[in-house]
Amino acid sequence: MTVPPAGTALAGGTNGPRALRPLLDTVLDALTTGAEDRAGPLPPGGPDTVTRAVRDACHPVFPDHGTGPHAALRTLVHTLAAGAADPADPHCAAHLHCPPLALATAADLAACALNPSMDSWDQAPAASALEALTSRALAALVYPQATDPDALITTGGTESNQLALLLAREAAAPAGTATDPHRPARPLQIVCGANAHHSIPRSAWLLGLPEPLTLPTPDGILTPDTVHTCLANLAGRAGPVLLTATAGTTDSGAIDPLAALADVAAQHGARFHIDAAYGGALLFSDTHRSALHGLARAHTVGLDLHKLGWQPVAAGLLAVPGPATLAPLAHQADYLNADDDTEAGLPDLLSRSLRTTRRPDILKIAVTLKALGRHGLGELVDHTLAAAQTLADLIEAHPRYELHSRPALSTVLFRPTGADDTTLATIRRTLLTDGQAVLGRATTPTGLWLKATLLNPHTQPGDLTTLLKLVEGHTPR
């Protein structure tokens, strides 16, 4: 038999760890040198410069004869690290893009090496059991009074929202009515705020549902009176309604009044979904969890632990109060969940997702929960939210800055006093091009604002002071 070429050793089995160890040394060295070469939160020069550097370092990307495993790893990992936006840098604060815990990243390596596929038990025996235990434990945080809460593992808030809309559509009344069984039922009508994530209207489109009724949110939150008026006007429509609320908007981190909205939804017989992809992690914190009062009254709740959970992407969940909510996802493929196998006791994994092949994303989550516990994660949440309050204090005390509002989570909107929208956009792009800071942008009824989304629990006040000085140094006077 011929000898397999170099670089084709497998990661699994008893010999896999031995093959991985020297490769990991090369990867870790390349991550270090790449970060040293970048020397900041973002590579300087802008898109053309970064693209040129990648092309020059990696060409040809698919040669006739390979360079060997260590050379390939060293070149590509170094290039990726040198050209990365590094969320571990305290000045990389534009998006809901967290620095993952080293602990969770190490666990993810094990998941990659074992490579279970979460679509049938015989591909993922232990991983499927771990997913069931861990997802239900997290669901119990959302629904503490439920007898059998459950959660699906998703790729993030977008998939969670799409699943929530799908479950609401399928839970709606079937075609026909009691008086006229041949008359088609009206489709599900979604009601959301202008502050809702863009995946809500996009999911409605994907699912063939009517365009959502989008209610104004001039103060950044969906108000009960506005929703009540809308649902009252829909009362004669004789069709199902889904109200969606947000616990942590992407623009400002605002949290809708969840309990009051749950009251309005119940009063009008509407189904209720909460997108808590950003703010759901407040459940870990004894200090801040009260901000989510009313969360447990939703029919479905989306969470993301690759935001305020410090997990590598992806780590999303859709929590439900009981398994009956998930019944519409039942699906059968004989080679994955044959009826006789299921009856014999093999778990049915295919009905746990719209995806077939799925990574074991639960492992990194489970390791983090086990290692830190709720209180440990809660302390990280508390530290991060405290940093946002510190930044807001610094802005309010600065004579040349304007604060949009006190932060509800870890997002802070601010701008140099008197700066117009064009100036703000230019400041942001200049900082990006120079590689000095990564700030986001948010458009509100009062114009454009710079957005600092703090997700690094190790950020110090001095880092925040320097960030403001960087912005000030690029502000025209």
Side-chain angles (χ1 to χ4, degrees):
M1 295 178 63
T2 59
V3 178
T8 60
L10 303 180
T14 56
N15 290 325
R18 189 177 301 113
L20 275 171
R21 192 176 302 277
L23 297 172
L24 293 181
D25 286 340
T26 300
V27 167
L28 296 175
D29 287 344
L31 285 172
T32 301
T33 59
E36 290 171 347
D37 280 2
R38 186 184 64 248
L42 198 74
D48 291 342
T49 299
V50 173
T51 300
R52 189 181 311 113
V54 172
R55 184 180 62 244
D56 292 346
C58 301
H59 181 78
V61 294
F62 190 14
D64 289 337
H65 300 284
T67 61
H70 289 278
L73 277 171
R74 189 176 298 109
T75 297
L76 289 164
V77 174
H78 174 99
T79 302
L80 194 68
D86 183 5
D89 189 296
H91 297 153
C92 186
H95 302 288
L96 290 165
H97 177 201
C98 78
L101 296 171
L103 171 75
T105 306
D108 212 29
L109 168 65
C112 290
L114 295 169
N115 206 32
S117 181
M118 306 296 294
D119 53 308
S120 68
W121 182 87
D122 55 349
Q123 298 176 82
S128 63
L130 183 64
E131 181 176 274
L133 288 169
T134 307
S135 59
R136 287 166 187 161
L138 288 167
L141 273 181
V142 179
Y143 296 105
Q145 304 303 320
T147 57
D148 196 15
D150 202 354
L152 302 179
I153 304 302
T154 71
T155 53
T158 293
E159 184 184 351
S160 295
N161 284 337
Q162 184 179 356
L163 279 170
L165 268 59
L166 172 65
L167 293 172
R169 187 191 72 179
E170 296 305 299
T177 65
T179 56
D180 183 0
H182 301 292
R183 179 185 176 187
R186 288 183 177 270
L188 178 73
Q189 178 62 64
I190 299 158
V191 175
C192 65
N195 64 346
H197 193 260
H198 65 84
S199 62
I200 297 294
R202 194 178 193 198
S203 294
W205 168 69
L206 285 168
L207 293 168
L209 295 169
E211 184 177 348
L213 291 175
T214 302
L215 305 180
T217 54
D219 296 321
I221 59 172
L222 189 58
T223 62
D225 287 346
T226 303
V227 175
H228 172 75
T229 300
C230 175
L231 297 187
N233 290 335
L234 289 174
R237 178 179 173 274
V241 175
L242 170 68
L243 173 64
T244 75
T246 307
T249 62
T250 53
D251 270 350
S252 67
I255 298 174
D256 288 336
L258 306 179
L261 292 174
D263 288 341
V264 176
Q267 177 186 350
H268 292 277
R271 192 176 173 94
F272 190 34
H273 167 64
I274 298 175
D275 174 2
Y278 183 8
L282 297 190
L283 290 171
F284 299 134
S285 168
D286 291 334
T287 303
H288 296 288
R289 64 186 305 161
S290 61
L292 298 180
H293 179 60
L295 192 75
R297 296 177 61 190
H299 293 81
T300 48
V301 175
L303 307 170
D304 268 11
L305 296 183
H306 55 242
K307 295 181 172 67
L308 284 172
W310 298 282
Q311 299 297 296
V313 173
L317 299 101
L318 180 71
V320 297
T325 305
L326 304 175
L329 298 180
H331 184 66
Q332 202 268 332
D334 193 63
Y335 76 105
L336 293 174
N337 60 346
D339 289 341
D340 58 320
D341 279 349
T342 303
E343 291 167 3
L346 296 185
D348 174 10
L349 305 187
L350 194 59
S351 300
R352 303 285 302 174
S353 177
L354 292 181
R355 293 172 284 149
T356 302
T357 302
R358 288 193 294 122
R359 296 185 75 250
D361 288 316
I362 199 63
L363 177 59
K364 61 198 175 192
I365 298 172
V367 167
T368 302
L369 299 181
K370 183 76 169 177
L372 300 182
R374 185 177 67 81
H375 289 295
L377 278 166
E379 287 182 15
L380 292 182
V381 170
D382 292 346
H383 284 308
T384 306
L385 269 61
Q389 295 296 330
T390 297
L391 178 57
D393 291 341
L394 292 170
I395 292 166
E396 285 190 321
H398 198 292
R400 287 186 289 275
Y401 280 116
E402 177 184 359
L403 180 69
H404 176 272
S405 56
R406 298 297 304 186
L409 290 174
S410 65
T411 297
V412 182
L413 302 185
F414 70 102
R415 62 190 178 193
T417 304
D420 59 23
D421 290 358
T422 301
T423 299
L424 280 178
T426 301
I427 291 171
R428 175 180 175 271
R429 286 192 293 269
T430 301
L431 290 168
L432 291 176
T433 302
D434 291 348
Q436 293 182 310
V438 189
L439 289 170
R441 54 188 288 165
T443 301
T444 77
T446 55
L448 187 66
W449 297 80
L450 294 175
K451 177 172 69 170
T453 306
L454 305 183
L455 292 182
N456 186 338
H458 299 290
T459 296
Q460 297 298 311
D463 300 319
L464 302 173
T465 300
T466 302
L467 180 63
L468 293 180
K469 288 180 178 177
L470 288 170
V471 174
E472 186 179 5
H474 289 83
T475 302
R477 296 182 183 173

